[in-house]
């Protein structure tokens, strides 16, 4: 009890004294505050340097993996390439000369990874608790590399609402995307191939493919090729609408045009794609099957002209065909290239890009009226069904809404969001662009994402 009383008296004396309390408290607290501030500055400095080092190493490893993939460099060149890239970025941003090192680089041929460890020596602002003022910061990164081929179908809106500046913006953006994507085809390889599907109320497949794939309906005639159907000597034009099933509904499958099905009379018919007899407009721009020929792709894009309504389901259908191996034989027979490869997630990446500037409003199945421009619900539903089939087959679907009209934004956005594949990490699959500059950057972003090599850690 006496001890407690003494303690109370001492505390009261310290509290009531006015002479040196402030100085004493300042003397006690100041070093603690200084220590905490120094520690905080060190932590921030180390954290920022580690982040910068990781970003530089990630970029170096990913760039090197991409060059290995495309054949720009050989495996024995990889260490020097990583080191050069790391130094170029690090010495400019966060490290002094002689303080940044590439500690190790491992190329695992079986796992097909490039792994690297790098370090930087940092002078910390405060040497605390007797520690040296130099700290070694180390980080590691890895990236996949492969010789996976890439097949891309670009379904591009050339309808009447795209007239004027919008079609010019599309030509610029799509042309730049083609150039960017085909950069992977250095050393004469054809690792990346692109198909173009310009669309309006129909898709113009050109004469070589049209004669092998189109069933041209006649007024009051059958909606399916009759048994023993004879191919006509010529077609009215080379535009297609939807392929029909025996019940008259749209066929959402990727069955090839040389296949046969049984009709309602138990007779076989050839699974050709219909040209509805009510079709009144046909885009001038023709479909281009998968090719690595940049001149062919760029010439087609620059010849785009805008006219007609928006058959989004018809566009999605032909994008699906251009990526399906079921169509390889007919494409080869038409002299239009090797056609799509067989699906193999380890060897081939298949990508569809569907772009529009408004609501899908045209379909020819399921309606007895003049269909162009007034079938929003059915056209939208058809497009969504084809997108689902593509995604089931492992096709990654990107969608773009360009300068969507104010009254159609929500409806157009809904179908594009539904059609798009699910986002993965930082990769977005549904995009909107309001201006030509934004459309160009959107296509560039999609092109980058298609070629992105994901970091393994």
């Amino acid at each position: 009890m006496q001890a407690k009383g003494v303690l109370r008296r001492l505390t009261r004396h310290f509290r009531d004294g006015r002479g040196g309390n402030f100085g004493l408290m300042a003397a006690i607290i100041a070093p603690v505050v200084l220590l905490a501030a120094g520690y905080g500055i060190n932590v921030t400095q180390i954290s920022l340097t580690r982040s910068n080092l990781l970003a530089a190493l990630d970029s170096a490893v990913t760039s090197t993996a991409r060059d290995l993939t495309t054949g720009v460099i050989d495996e024995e060149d990889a260490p020097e390439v990583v080191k050069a890239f790391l130094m170029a970025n690090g010495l400019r941003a966060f490290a002094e000369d002689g303080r940044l090192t590439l500690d190790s680089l491992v190329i695992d041929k079986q796992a097909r990874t490039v792994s690297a460890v790098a370090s930087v020596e940092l002078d910390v602002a405060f040497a605390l608790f007797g520690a040296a003022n130099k700290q070694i910061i180390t980080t590691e990164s890895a990236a996949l590399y492969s010789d996976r081929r890439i097949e891309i179908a670009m379904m591009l809106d050339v309808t009447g609402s795209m007239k004027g500046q919008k079609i010019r913006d599309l030509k610029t953006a799509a042309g730049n995307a083609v150039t960017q994507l085909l950069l992977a085809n250095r050393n004469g390889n054809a690792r990346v191939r692109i198909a173009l599907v310009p669309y309006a109320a129909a898709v113009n497949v050109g004469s070589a493919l049209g004669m092998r794939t189109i069933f041209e309906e006649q007024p009051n005639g059958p909606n399916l090729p009759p048994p023993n159907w004879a191919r006509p000597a010529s077609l009215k034009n080379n535009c297609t609408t939807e392929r029909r099933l025996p019940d008259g509904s749209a066929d959402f499958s990727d069955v090839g045009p040389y296949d046969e099905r049984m009709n309602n009379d138990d007779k076989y018919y050839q699974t050709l794609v219909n040209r509805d007899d009510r079709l009144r407009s046909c885009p001038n721009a023709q479909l281009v099957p998968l090719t690595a020929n940049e001149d062919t792709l760029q010439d087609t894009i620059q010849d785009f002209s805008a006219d007609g309504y928006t058959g989004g389901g018809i566009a999605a259908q032909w994008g699906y065909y251009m990526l399906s191996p079921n169509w390889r034989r007919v494409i080869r027979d038409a002299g239009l290239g090797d056609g799509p490869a067989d699906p193999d997630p380890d060897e081939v990446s298949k990508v569809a890009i569907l772009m529009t500037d408004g609501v899908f409003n045209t379909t020819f199945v399921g309606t007895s009226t003049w269909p162009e421009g007034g079938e929003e619900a059915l056209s939208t539903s058809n497009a969504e069904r084809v997108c689902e089939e593509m995604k089931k087959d492992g096709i990654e679907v990107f969608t773009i809404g360009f300068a969507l009209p104010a009254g159609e934004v929500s409806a157009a956005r809904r179908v594009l969001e539904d059609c798009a594949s699910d986002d993965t990490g930082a990769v977005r699959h549904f995009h909107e662009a309001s201006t030509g500059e934004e459309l160009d950057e959107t296509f560039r972003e999609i092109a980058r994402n298609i070629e992105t090599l994901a970091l393994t850690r």
Side-chain angles (χ1 to χ4, degrees), residues 409-441:
V409 169
S410 59
R413 183 185 292 135
R414 185 171 59 253
V415 64
L416 293 174
E417 287 175 335
D418 288 345
C419 269
S421 296
D422 294 335
D423 292 344
T424 52
V427 177
R428 296 184 300 148
H429 290 81
F430 163 64
H431 297 259
E432 281 189 89
S434 299
T435 65
E437 291 77 11
E438 290 180 5
L439 183 65
D440 189 29
E441 178 51 36

PDB file of all heavy atoms in Angstrom, residues 409-441:
ATOM      1  N   VAL A 409     -28.645   1.581 -77.060  1.00  0.00           N
ATOM      2  CA  VAL A 409     -27.449   1.189 -76.312  1.00  0.00           C
ATOM      3  C   VAL A 409     -27.696  -0.040 -75.464  1.00  0.00           C
ATOM      4  O   VAL A 409     -26.941  -1.017 -75.509  1.00  0.00           O
ATOM      5  CB  VAL A 409     -26.948   2.359 -75.439  1.00  0.00           C
ATOM      6  CG1 VAL A 409     -25.877   1.867 -74.469  1.00  0.00           C
ATOM      7  CG2 VAL A 409     -26.389   3.468 -76.306  1.00  0.00           C
ATOM      8  N   SER A 410     -28.761  -0.036 -74.672  1.00  0.00           N
ATOM      9  CA  SER A 410     -28.973  -1.145 -73.740  1.00  0.00           C
ATOM     10  C   SER A 410     -29.235  -2.452 -74.469  1.00  0.00           C
ATOM     11  O   SER A 410     -28.695  -3.504 -74.105  1.00  0.00           O
ATOM     12  CB  SER A 410     -30.129  -0.828 -72.790  1.00  0.00           C
ATOM     13  OG  SER A 410     -31.331  -0.603 -73.514  1.00  0.00           O
ATOM     14  N   ALA A 411     -30.048  -2.415 -75.538  1.00  0.00           N
ATOM     15  CA  ALA A 411     -30.356  -3.638 -76.280  1.00  0.00           C
ATOM     16  C   ALA A 411     -29.123  -4.166 -77.002  1.00  0.00           C
ATOM     17  O   ALA A 411     -28.853  -5.370 -76.987  1.00  0.00           O
ATOM     18  CB  ALA A 411     -31.480  -3.369 -77.276  1.00  0.00           C
ATOM     19  N   ALA A 412     -28.368  -3.269 -77.648  1.00  0.00           N
ATOM     20  CA  ALA A 412     -27.166  -3.695 -78.359  1.00  0.00           C
ATOM     21  C   ALA A 412     -26.110  -4.206 -77.391  1.00  0.00           C
ATOM     22  O   ALA A 412     -25.443  -5.211 -77.644  1.00  0.00           O
ATOM     23  CB  ALA A 412     -26.614  -2.533 -79.186  1.00  0.00           C
ATOM     24  N   ARG A 413     -25.958  -3.510 -76.269  1.00  0.00           N
ATOM     25  CA  ARG A 413     -24.975  -3.927 -75.278  1.00  0.00           C
ATOM     26  C   ARG A 413     -25.308  -5.311 -74.725  1.00  0.00           C
ATOM     27  O   ARG A 413     -24.426  -6.140 -74.509  1.00  0.00           O
ATOM     28  CB  ARG A 413     -24.914  -2.909 -74.150  1.00  0.00           C
ATOM     29  CG  ARG A 413     -23.859  -3.243 -73.094  1.00  0.00           C
ATOM     30  CD  ARG A 413     -23.917  -2.266 -71.940  1.00  0.00           C
ATOM     31  NE  ARG A 413     -23.500  -0.943 -72.334  1.00  0.00           N
ATOM     32  CZ  ARG A 413     -24.153   0.171 -71.997  1.00  0.00           C
ATOM     33  NH1 ARG A 413     -25.275   0.102 -71.305  1.00  0.00           N
ATOM     34  NH2 ARG A 413     -23.681   1.342 -72.374  1.00  0.00           N
ATOM     35  N   ARG A 414     -26.585  -5.574 -74.523  1.00  0.00           N
ATOM     36  CA  ARG A 414     -26.988  -6.856 -73.934  1.00  0.00           C
ATOM     37  C   ARG A 414     -26.573  -8.033 -74.813  1.00  0.00           C
ATOM     38  O   ARG A 414     -26.004  -9.011 -74.322  1.00  0.00           O
ATOM     39  CB  ARG A 414     -28.499  -6.879 -73.699  1.00  0.00           C
ATOM     40  CG  ARG A 414     -28.990  -8.132 -72.986  1.00  0.00           C
ATOM     41  CD  ARG A 414     -30.441  -8.010 -72.587  1.00  0.00           C
ATOM     42  NE  ARG A 414     -31.322  -7.775 -73.729  1.00  0.00           N
ATOM     43  CZ  ARG A 414     -31.914  -6.624 -73.998  1.00  0.00           C
ATOM     44  NH1 ARG A 414     -31.715  -5.574 -73.199  1.00  0.00           N
ATOM     45  NH2 ARG A 414     -32.707  -6.492 -75.046  1.00  0.00           N
ATOM     46  N   VAL A 415     -26.844  -7.955 -76.111  1.00  0.00           N
ATOM     47  CA  VAL A 415     -26.486  -9.081 -76.978  1.00  0.00           C
ATOM     48  C   VAL A 415     -24.977  -9.216 -77.106  1.00  0.00           C
ATOM     49  O   VAL A 415     -24.436 -10.334 -77.145  1.00  0.00           O
ATOM     50  CB  VAL A 415     -27.149  -8.948 -78.368  1.00  0.00           C
ATOM     51  CG1 VAL A 415     -26.642  -7.731 -79.124  1.00  0.00           C
ATOM     52  CG2 VAL A 415     -26.913 -10.202 -79.199  1.00  0.00           C
ATOM     53  N   LEU A 416     -24.251  -8.108 -77.140  1.00  0.00           N
ATOM     54  CA  LEU A 416     -22.803  -8.171 -77.245  1.00  0.00           C
ATOM     55  C   LEU A 416     -22.176  -8.737 -75.976  1.00  0.00           C
ATOM     56  O   LEU A 416     -21.205  -9.504 -76.020  1.00  0.00           O
ATOM     57  CB  LEU A 416     -22.229  -6.789 -77.553  1.00  0.00           C
ATOM     58  CG  LEU A 416     -22.594  -6.226 -78.935  1.00  0.00           C
ATOM     59  CD1 LEU A 416     -22.106  -4.789 -79.073  1.00  0.00           C
ATOM     60  CD2 LEU A 416     -22.032  -7.098 -80.053  1.00  0.00           C
ATOM     61  N   GLU A 417     -22.730  -8.367 -74.822  1.00  0.00           N
ATOM     62  CA  GLU A 417     -22.240  -8.929 -73.566  1.00  0.00           C
ATOM     63  C   GLU A 417     -22.535 -10.427 -73.494  1.00  0.00           C
ATOM     64  O   GLU A 417     -21.707 -11.214 -73.014  1.00  0.00           O
ATOM     65  CB  GLU A 417     -22.875  -8.206 -72.378  1.00  0.00           C
ATOM     66  CG  GLU A 417     -22.347  -6.799 -72.157  1.00  0.00           C
ATOM     67  CD  GLU A 417     -23.071  -6.071 -71.045  1.00  0.00           C
ATOM     68  OE1 GLU A 417     -24.241  -6.415 -70.756  1.00  0.00           O
ATOM     69  OE2 GLU A 417     -22.476  -5.150 -70.454  1.00  0.00           O
ATOM     70  N   ASP A 418     -23.716 -10.818 -73.950  1.00  0.00           N
ATOM     71  CA  ASP A 418     -24.079 -12.241 -73.927  1.00  0.00           C
ATOM     72  C   ASP A 418     -23.206 -13.054 -74.876  1.00  0.00           C
ATOM     73  O   ASP A 418     -22.844 -14.197 -74.589  1.00  0.00           O
ATOM     74  CB  ASP A 418     -25.558 -12.422 -74.291  1.00  0.00           C
ATOM     75  CG  ASP A 418     -26.492 -11.955 -73.194  1.00  0.00           C
ATOM     76  OD1 ASP A 418     -26.017 -11.768 -72.056  1.00  0.00           O
ATOM     77  OD2 ASP A 418     -27.688 -11.767 -73.471  1.00  0.00           O
ATOM     78  N   CYS A 419     -22.897 -12.474 -76.027  1.00  0.00           N
ATOM     79  CA  CYS A 419     -22.087 -13.195 -77.012  1.00  0.00           C
ATOM     80  C   CYS A 419     -20.638 -13.338 -76.566  1.00  0.00           C
ATOM     81  O   CYS A 419     -19.988 -14.336 -76.879  1.00  0.00           O
ATOM     82  CB  CYS A 419     -22.130 -12.471 -78.360  1.00  0.00           C
ATOM     83  SG  CYS A 419     -23.460 -13.019 -79.451  1.00  0.00           S
ATOM     84  N   ALA A 420     -20.125 -12.365 -75.848  1.00  0.00           N
ATOM     85  CA  ALA A 420     -18.708 -12.356 -75.496  1.00  0.00           C
ATOM     86  C   ALA A 420     -18.366 -13.467 -74.514  1.00  0.00           C
ATOM     87  O   ALA A 420     -19.184 -13.869 -73.676  1.00  0.00           O
ATOM     88  CB  ALA A 420     -18.325 -11.005 -74.898  1.00  0.00           C
ATOM     89  N   SER A 421     -17.145 -13.966 -74.617  1.00  0.00           N
ATOM     90  CA  SER A 421     -16.635 -14.919 -73.634  1.00  0.00           C
ATOM     91  C   SER A 421     -16.475 -14.224 -72.287  1.00  0.00           C
ATOM     92  O   SER A 421     -16.410 -12.988 -72.200  1.00  0.00           O
ATOM     93  CB  SER A 421     -15.286 -15.479 -74.084  1.00  0.00           C
ATOM     94  OG  SER A 421     -15.405 -16.216 -75.280  1.00  0.00           O
ATOM     95  N   ASP A 422     -16.410 -15.014 -71.222  1.00  0.00           N
ATOM     96  CA  ASP A 422     -16.197 -14.451 -69.890  1.00  0.00           C
ATOM     97  C   ASP A 422     -14.808 -13.831 -69.802  1.00  0.00           C
ATOM     98  O   ASP A 422     -13.844 -14.360 -70.366  1.00  0.00           O
ATOM     99  CB  ASP A 422     -16.339 -15.542 -68.821  1.00  0.00           C
ATOM    100  CG  ASP A 422     -17.760 -16.090 -68.733  1.00  0.00           C
ATOM    101  OD1 ASP A 422     -18.702 -15.358 -69.103  1.00  0.00           O
ATOM    102  OD2 ASP A 422     -17.922 -17.242 -68.280  1.00  0.00           O
ATOM    103  N   ASP A 423     -14.717 -12.718 -69.073  1.00  0.00           N
ATOM    104  CA  ASP A 423     -13.423 -12.077 -68.876  1.00  0.00           C
ATOM    105  C   ASP A 423     -12.506 -12.990 -68.069  1.00  0.00           C
ATOM    106  O   ASP A 423     -12.953 -13.721 -67.174  1.00  0.00           O
ATOM    107  CB  ASP A 423     -13.586 -10.746 -68.150  1.00  0.00           C
ATOM    108  CG  ASP A 423     -14.302  -9.705 -69.003  1.00  0.00           C
ATOM    109  OD1 ASP A 423     -14.400  -9.917 -70.222  1.00  0.00           O
ATOM    110  OD2 ASP A 423     -14.766  -8.699 -68.441  1.00  0.00           O
ATOM    111  N   THR A 424     -11.228 -12.933 -68.371  1.00  0.00           N
ATOM    112  CA  THR A 424     -10.228 -13.714 -67.647  1.00  0.00           C
ATOM    113  C   THR A 424      -9.118 -12.780 -67.211  1.00  0.00           C
ATOM    114  O   THR A 424      -8.393 -12.236 -68.040  1.00  0.00           O
ATOM    115  CB  THR A 424      -9.647 -14.839 -68.526  1.00  0.00           C
ATOM    116  OG1 THR A 424      -9.192 -14.277 -69.763  1.00  0.00           O
ATOM    117  CG2 THR A 424     -10.696 -15.892 -68.826  1.00  0.00           C
ATOM    118  N   GLY A 425      -8.990 -12.583 -65.899  1.00  0.00           N
ATOM    119  CA  GLY A 425      -7.972 -11.667 -65.408  1.00  0.00           C
ATOM    120  C   GLY A 425      -8.216 -10.265 -65.923  1.00  0.00           C
ATOM    121  O   GLY A 425      -9.305  -9.711 -65.796  1.00  0.00           O
ATOM    122  N   ALA A 426      -7.178  -9.695 -66.532  1.00  0.00           N
ATOM    123  CA  ALA A 426      -7.288  -8.331 -67.057  1.00  0.00           C
ATOM    124  C   ALA A 426      -7.804  -8.294 -68.487  1.00  0.00           C
ATOM    125  O   ALA A 426      -7.949  -7.224 -69.073  1.00  0.00           O
ATOM    126  CB  ALA A 426      -5.921  -7.643 -66.988  1.00  0.00           C
ATOM    127  N   VAL A 427      -8.098  -9.452 -69.065  1.00  0.00           N
ATOM    128  CA  VAL A 427      -8.543  -9.505 -70.461  1.00  0.00           C
ATOM    129  C   VAL A 427     -10.053  -9.318 -70.535  1.00  0.00           C
ATOM    130  O   VAL A 427     -10.817 -10.145 -70.045  1.00  0.00           O
ATOM    131  CB  VAL A 427      -8.147 -10.841 -71.120  1.00  0.00           C
ATOM    132  CG1 VAL A 427      -8.682 -10.923 -72.546  1.00  0.00           C
ATOM    133  CG2 VAL A 427      -6.629 -11.004 -71.102  1.00  0.00           C
ATOM    134  N   ARG A 428     -10.464  -8.212 -71.156  1.00  0.00           N
ATOM    135  CA  ARG A 428     -11.896  -7.945 -71.360  1.00  0.00           C
ATOM    136  C   ARG A 428     -12.325  -8.504 -72.710  1.00  0.00           C
ATOM    137  O   ARG A 428     -11.587  -8.460 -73.675  1.00  0.00           O
ATOM    138  CB  ARG A 428     -12.172  -6.444 -71.336  1.00  0.00           C
ATOM    139  CG  ARG A 428     -11.894  -5.763 -70.004  1.00  0.00           C
ATOM    140  CD  ARG A 428     -12.293  -4.302 -70.082  1.00  0.00           C
ATOM    141  NE  ARG A 428     -11.554  -3.585 -71.122  1.00  0.00           N
ATOM    142  CZ  ARG A 428     -12.037  -2.573 -71.837  1.00  0.00           C
ATOM    143  NH1 ARG A 428     -13.278  -2.174 -71.673  1.00  0.00           N
ATOM    144  NH2 ARG A 428     -11.278  -1.967 -72.739  1.00  0.00           N
ATOM    145  N   HIS A 429     -13.560  -8.989 -72.773  1.00  0.00           N
ATOM    146  CA  HIS A 429     -14.074  -9.548 -74.025  1.00  0.00           C
ATOM    147  C   HIS A 429     -15.166  -8.701 -74.653  1.00  0.00           C
ATOM    148  O   HIS A 429     -15.363  -8.750 -75.864  1.00  0.00           O
ATOM    149  CB  HIS A 429     -14.569 -10.976 -73.797  1.00  0.00           C
ATOM    150  CG  HIS A 429     -13.460 -11.938 -73.533  1.00  0.00           C
ATOM    151  ND1 HIS A 429     -12.868 -12.083 -72.305  1.00  0.00           N
ATOM    152  CD2 HIS A 429     -12.804 -12.801 -74.364  1.00  0.00           C
ATOM    153  CE1 HIS A 429     -11.909 -12.992 -72.372  1.00  0.00           C
ATOM    154  NE2 HIS A 429     -11.848 -13.434 -73.608  1.00  0.00           N
ATOM    155  N   PHE A 430     -15.905  -7.933 -73.871  1.00  0.00           N
ATOM    156  CA  PHE A 430     -16.883  -6.996 -74.424  1.00  0.00           C
ATOM    157  C   PHE A 430     -16.310  -5.591 -74.332  1.00  0.00           C
ATOM    158  O   PHE A 430     -15.831  -5.165 -73.280  1.00  0.00           O
ATOM    159  CB  PHE A 430     -18.203  -7.079 -73.672  1.00  0.00           C
ATOM    160  CG  PHE A 430     -19.099  -5.890 -73.912  1.00  0.00           C
ATOM    161  CD1 PHE A 430     -19.601  -5.634 -75.182  1.00  0.00           C
ATOM    162  CD2 PHE A 430     -19.410  -5.007 -72.882  1.00  0.00           C
ATOM    163  CE1 PHE A 430     -20.398  -4.525 -75.423  1.00  0.00           C
ATOM    164  CE2 PHE A 430     -20.216  -3.901 -73.106  1.00  0.00           C
ATOM    165  CZ  PHE A 430     -20.715  -3.659 -74.380  1.00  0.00           C
ATOM    166  N   HIS A 431     -16.383  -4.850 -75.446  1.00  0.00           N
ATOM    167  CA  HIS A 431     -15.824  -3.500 -75.503  1.00  0.00           C
ATOM    168  C   HIS A 431     -16.844  -2.542 -76.114  1.00  0.00           C
ATOM    169  O   HIS A 431     -17.645  -2.923 -76.972  1.00  0.00           O
ATOM    170  CB  HIS A 431     -14.565  -3.471 -76.378  1.00  0.00           C
ATOM    171  CG  HIS A 431     -13.443  -4.309 -75.863  1.00  0.00           C
ATOM    172  ND1 HIS A 431     -12.361  -3.789 -75.195  1.00  0.00           N
ATOM    173  CD2 HIS A 431     -13.234  -5.655 -75.917  1.00  0.00           C
ATOM    174  CE1 HIS A 431     -11.537  -4.767 -74.864  1.00  0.00           C
ATOM    175  NE2 HIS A 431     -12.051  -5.909 -75.291  1.00  0.00           N
ATOM    176  N   GLU A 432     -16.771  -1.295 -75.686  1.00  0.00           N
ATOM    177  CA  GLU A 432     -17.525  -0.211 -76.328  1.00  0.00           C
ATOM    178  C   GLU A 432     -16.556   0.877 -76.751  1.00  0.00           C
ATOM    179  O   GLU A 432     -15.576   1.166 -76.056  1.00  0.00           O
ATOM    180  CB  GLU A 432     -18.563   0.369 -75.374  1.00  0.00           C
ATOM    181  CG  GLU A 432     -19.814  -0.451 -75.233  1.00  0.00           C
ATOM    182  CD  GLU A 432     -20.889   0.268 -74.440  1.00  0.00           C
ATOM    183  OE1 GLU A 432     -21.702   1.005 -75.054  1.00  0.00           O
ATOM    184  OE2 GLU A 432     -20.923   0.100 -73.207  1.00  0.00           O
ATOM    185  N   ALA A 433     -16.824   1.479 -77.890  1.00  0.00           N
ATOM    186  CA  ALA A 433     -16.012   2.586 -78.396  1.00  0.00           C
ATOM    187  C   ALA A 433     -16.947   3.653 -78.942  1.00  0.00           C
ATOM    188  O   ALA A 433     -17.892   3.334 -79.673  1.00  0.00           O
ATOM    189  CB  ALA A 433     -15.062   2.099 -79.482  1.00  0.00           C
ATOM    190  N   SER A 434     -16.667   4.911 -78.614  1.00  0.00           N
ATOM    191  CA  SER A 434     -17.532   6.012 -79.055  1.00  0.00           C
ATOM    192  C   SER A 434     -16.966   6.768 -80.241  1.00  0.00           C
ATOM    193  O   SER A 434     -17.716   7.360 -81.019  1.00  0.00           O
ATOM    194  CB  SER A 434     -17.755   6.999 -77.889  1.00  0.00           C
ATOM    195  OG  SER A 434     -18.384   6.356 -76.807  1.00  0.00           O
ATOM    196  N   THR A 435     -15.649   6.759 -80.394  1.00  0.00           N
ATOM    197  CA  THR A 435     -14.995   7.527 -81.456  1.00  0.00           C
ATOM    198  C   THR A 435     -14.091   6.606 -82.279  1.00  0.00           C
ATOM    199  O   THR A 435     -13.806   5.468 -81.888  1.00  0.00           O
ATOM    200  CB  THR A 435     -14.145   8.655 -80.856  1.00  0.00           C
ATOM    201  OG1 THR A 435     -13.063   8.068 -80.100  1.00  0.00           O
ATOM    202  CG2 THR A 435     -14.980   9.546 -79.938  1.00  0.00           C
ATOM    203  N   GLY A 436     -13.623   7.138 -83.403  1.00  0.00           N
ATOM    204  CA  GLY A 436     -12.699   6.383 -84.223  1.00  0.00           C
ATOM    205  C   GLY A 436     -11.419   6.046 -83.471  1.00  0.00           C
ATOM    206  O   GLY A 436     -10.878   4.944 -83.615  1.00  0.00           O
ATOM    207  N   GLU A 437     -10.916   6.991 -82.671  1.00  0.00           N
ATOM    208  CA  GLU A 437      -9.707   6.740 -81.895  1.00  0.00           C
ATOM    209  C   GLU A 437      -9.928   5.622 -80.887  1.00  0.00           C
ATOM    210  O   GLU A 437      -9.067   4.748 -80.698  1.00  0.00           O
ATOM    211  CB  GLU A 437      -9.269   8.020 -81.166  1.00  0.00           C
ATOM    212  CG  GLU A 437      -8.753   9.127 -82.067  1.00  0.00           C
ATOM    213  CD  GLU A 437      -9.875   9.882 -82.784  1.00  0.00           C
ATOM    214  OE1 GLU A 437     -11.062   9.680 -82.409  1.00  0.00           O
ATOM    215  OE2 GLU A 437      -9.569  10.650 -83.717  1.00  0.00           O
ATOM    216  N   GLU A 438     -11.090   5.627 -80.251  1.00  0.00           N
ATOM    217  CA  GLU A 438     -11.392   4.567 -79.290  1.00  0.00           C
ATOM    218  C   GLU A 438     -11.563   3.217 -79.988  1.00  0.00           C
ATOM    219  O   GLU A 438     -11.146   2.184 -79.453  1.00  0.00           O
ATOM    220  CB  GLU A 438     -12.663   4.917 -78.502  1.00  0.00           C
ATOM    221  CG  GLU A 438     -12.483   6.069 -77.526  1.00  0.00           C
ATOM    222  CD  GLU A 438     -13.766   6.383 -76.775  1.00  0.00           C
ATOM    223  OE1 GLU A 438     -14.765   5.647 -76.940  1.00  0.00           O
ATOM    224  OE2 GLU A 438     -13.781   7.380 -76.025  1.00  0.00           O
ATOM    225  N   LEU A 439     -12.153   3.222 -81.167  1.00  0.00           N
ATOM    226  CA  LEU A 439     -12.303   1.966 -81.908  1.00  0.00           C
ATOM    227  C   LEU A 439     -10.935   1.404 -82.283  1.00  0.00           C
ATOM    228  O   LEU A 439     -10.694   0.193 -82.166  1.00  0.00           O
ATOM    229  CB  LEU A 439     -13.137   2.191 -83.171  1.00  0.00           C
ATOM    230  CG  LEU A 439     -13.430   0.940 -84.004  1.00  0.00           C
ATOM    231  CD1 LEU A 439     -14.311  -0.037 -83.231  1.00  0.00           C
ATOM    232  CD2 LEU A 439     -14.086   1.312 -85.327  1.00  0.00           C
ATOM    233  N   ASP A 440     -10.037   2.271 -82.714  1.00  0.00           N
ATOM    234  CA  ASP A 440      -8.691   1.843 -83.072  1.00  0.00           C
ATOM    235  C   ASP A 440      -7.991   1.234 -81.862  1.00  0.00           C
ATOM    236  O   ASP A 440      -7.390   0.157 -81.947  1.00  0.00           O
ATOM    237  CB  ASP A 440      -7.904   3.045 -83.598  1.00  0.00           C
ATOM    238  CG  ASP A 440      -6.555   2.645 -84.191  1.00  0.00           C
ATOM    239  OD1 ASP A 440      -6.431   1.517 -84.700  1.00  0.00           O
ATOM    240  OD2 ASP A 440      -5.625   3.466 -84.132  1.00  0.00           O
ATOM    241  N   GLU A 441      -8.080   1.893 -80.716  1.00  0.00           N
ATOM    242  CA  GLU A 441      -7.436   1.379 -79.507  1.00  0.00           C
ATOM    243  C   GLU A 441      -8.104   0.087 -79.040  1.00  0.00           C
ATOM    244  O   GLU A 441      -7.427  -0.817 -78.531  1.00  0.00           O
ATOM    245  CB  GLU A 441      -7.476   2.427 -78.386  1.00  0.00           C
ATOM    246  CG  GLU A 441      -6.871   1.950 -77.072  1.00  0.00           C
ATOM    247  CD  GLU A 441      -5.473   1.362 -77.225  1.00  0.00           C
ATOM    248  OE1 GLU A 441      -4.692   1.863 -78.056  1.00  0.00           O
ATOM    249  OE2 GLU A 441      -5.166   0.387 -76.493  1.00  0.00           O
TER     250      GLU A 441
END
